[in-house]
Amino acid sequence: MLAPAIATAQQAAPPPAAADDAALKHRADDLVALLNGGGDVAAAFAPEFLAQVNEAQLRATIAQVTQMLGRAETVATLTPISAHAADATIAYEKGSLSLKFAVQPEAPHRFVGLRLTGTQSGEQSIAEVAAAVRALPGKTGFILTRLDAPDASPIAAIDPDRPLAIGSAFKLVILAELVRAIEAGERDWDEAITLDGSDLPGGFYADKAKGTIATLRDLATRMISVSDNSATDILLATLGRAKVEAMLPVIGVKDPAGMRPFLSTLEMFKLKGVDGGKLGDQWLTLDEKGRRTLLADKVGPAPISAIPAGLFQDNKPNRLGIEWYASPADLARMMDWLRRHTDSGPAAEARRILGLNPGIPPDAASAWRYVGYKGGSEPGVLDMTLLLEAKAGGWYVLSGTWNNPDAALAEGRLIGLIARAATLAAAP
């Protein structure tokens, strides 16, 4: 969700043979020309790849990276992961691009898979990263702080106490309530939840039949690792809105009103989409009591079919006042609460789940002993929040948020800045 990605047309299972270094290097060298807008796409990519991602789509994605990082210069690293697939890092004028690719086993070894996994900008210090985040159009927030030195000031911060829309990072609150319930013995990771046939937003469970079984572990894993909205709404309904809201001050959200009433993803989609967003316009005029009434009387009963199929597809910001709001400092306290409550015992499973998707490129993540991540986005909103354990010891949170109600975001810019900050912060 949070990195430019080109769909993989075919996944090559790692064969027992040694890596075909010559074929991988040949195609990796082709990438530099392709990433600079040149190259012969038809000669470099297999027909089955281009059947899923055409040349125009490929060029458009590549252009986004060029806009952020300038010209591609060279293949900085090439690491085979199977006989015919590799991880690579491409050095750019203003940073680097991480990607994975797979090629045909037979000559001419055309690309059958290509996925851009992340970018890093070229700033040389955390201060430079913070300045670049501050310069982004709209409103931004940023914090890098050490958690196991509670009296220390943040290492770097931009408006750390200003609440901003955080997108799917709100799911950290639901995870925290699940952790609390597991610690208290009220819930168990293997507890089976039976789908009751209620409407669900997009995700793995959206089309599952009534009576389908999912464990709390399954739901939490999908909610955090792939930001599955259907799993999120099932968990919220299972745990209860009131209990999730009660966790807001417990985990350190300074102004809980920014997340009350605590919306499900489907409710948010209805508010922004049903009848051209008229429910959302009404929401924005109401106090908390009025909003709860609106949810019960109009939003809940509204059919899911009333949400336009193309909601958000125009990439235009849509009523950013209908969101989940938290400050960078709030997000740091959330992650710290989760860190302190997942060190051991049954709740430690939540820390494993947080670490399934590191959110930053492998080369940045590998500089840390542990990386936990949750981010979120919608048009005009992007958040990236990381829980980091240094190899030499010490826990940190790195969080960046960007809101612009007037224009779509160049998301890769913040993604690259956060990846760069993670790399710089890990340096001894």
Side-chain angles (χ1 to χ4, degrees):
M1 178 179 71
L2 291 180
I6 297 170
T8 301
Q10 176 178 322
Q11 294 291 340
D20 188 340
D21 293 332
L24 293 173
K25 185 178 186 308
H26 171 68
R27 282 305 174 202
D29 289 341
D30 283 349
L31 284 171
V32 175
L34 290 162
L35 292 169
N36 284 324
D40 186 338
V41 168
F45 288 86
E48 58 264 38
F49 181 99
L50 294 175
Q52 295 189 34
V53 182
N54 63 38
E55 181 170 351
Q57 293 170 319
L58 182 67
R59 297 288 192 193
T61 300
I62 288 170
Q64 293 177 24
V65 180
T66 304
Q67 184 180 22
M68 290 183 286
L69 300 179
R71 286 185 60 79
E73 294 180 333
T74 187
V75 179
T77 67
L78 180 65
T79 306
I81 54 177
S82 76
H84 300 103
D87 288 327
T89 304
I90 310 298
Y92 276 73
E93 291 177 299
K94 302 176 184 177
S96 63
L97 168 69
S98 300
L99 55 85
K100 295 178 180 292
F101 70 88
V103 301
Q104 295 169 318
E106 67 280 358
H109 306 295
R110 288 178 292 186
F111 290 111
V112 291
L114 176 64
R115 181 167 296 275
L116 312 188
T117 56
T119 59
Q120 282 204 57
S121 56
E123 285 73 17
Q124 297 302 304
S125 68
I126 295 294
E128 288 185 18
V129 171
V133 171
R134 187 186 294 277
L136 296 171
K139 297 179 180 179
T140 58
F142 177 86
I143 194 167
L144 172 63
T145 189
R146 184 156 180 172
L147 300 178
D148 46 1
D151 296 328
S153 298
I155 297 165
I158 299 169
D159 294 324
D161 296 315
R162 177 170 66 178
L164 294 169
I166 60 171
S168 287
F170 82 90
K171 296 168 185 178
L172 290 170
V173 185
I174 298 175
L175 182 65
E177 165 54 20
L178 180 57
V179 166
R180 184 210 63 78
I182 286 172
E183 279 191 306
E186 300 168 9
R187 301 281 185 179
D188 182 88
W189 289 109
D190 294 320
E191 180 181 341
I193 306 301
T194 304
L195 272 61
D196 63 6
S198 298
D199 286 339
L200 291 169
F204 180 79
Y205 298 100
D207 298 323
K208 300 298 182 185
K210 180 180 179 179
T212 297
I213 302 294
T215 67
L216 291 178
R217 180 184 286 102
D218 296 335
L219 295 167
T221 297
R222 291 186 181 278
M223 177 179 73
I224 297 299
S225 66
V226 295
S227 209
D228 187 295
N229 290 329
S230 63
T232 299
D233 283 10
I234 295 167
L235 267 179
L236 178 59
T238 299
L239 300 173
R241 194 197 312 264
K243 287 190 174 182
V244 172
E245 289 178 350
M247 285 301 292
L248 291 168
V250 173
I251 61 177
V253 178
K254 190 174 182 180
D255 183 10
M259 282 201 245
R260 289 199 313 247
F262 197 93
L263 292 171
S264 69
T265 53
L266 182 58
E267 288 168 338
M268 190 264 256
F269 296 156
K270 288 182 179 181
L271 287 167
K272 296 195 178 198
V274 171
D275 200 13
K278 288 183 179 179
L279 286 174
D281 292 337
Q282 186 176 352
W283 172 274
L284 292 171
T285 69
L286 299 172
D287 60 12
E288 183 178 324
K289 181 178 179 182
R291 290 177 176 184
R292 292 188 188 278
T293 300
L294 184 69
L295 288 179
D297 293 350
K298 295 185 178 181
V299 178
I304 194 171
S305 59
I307 302 172
L311 186 65
F312 301 128
Q313 288 185 4
D314 60 5
N315 206 28
K316 293 180 180 178
N318 181 341
R319 298 169 178 82
L320 298 193
I322 305 169
E323 252 281 353
W324 301 267
Y325 274 75
S327 70
D330 290 336
L331 289 162
R333 288 187 288 265
M334 285 186 208
M335 280 295 200
D336 191 32
W337 189 94
L338 286 166
R339 174 186 71 90
R340 291 182 285 107
H341 288 262
T342 57
D343 187 55
S344 62
E349 177 71 358
R351 187 179 295 185
R352 183 193 68 82
I353 290 170
L354 272 172
L356 291 173
N357 172 9
I360 52 177
D363 51 345
S366 65
W368 297 88
R369 178 181 296 163
Y370 172 85
V371 180
Y373 170 75
K374 188 72 195 80
S377 68
E378 67 161 299
V381 173
L382 178 61
D383 173 81
M384 297 184 71
T385 299
L386 296 104
L387 174 65
L388 303 164
E389 184 185 13
K391 289 182 176 179
W395 285 89
Y396 299 79
V397 164
L398 171 63
S399 182
T401 310
W402 183 11
N403 290 179
N404 190 345
D406 301 319
L409 307 181
E411 293 187 349
R413 178 59 175 151
L414 182 63
I415 295 165
L417 289 168
I418 295 300
R420 184 60 178 160
T423 297
L424 291 167

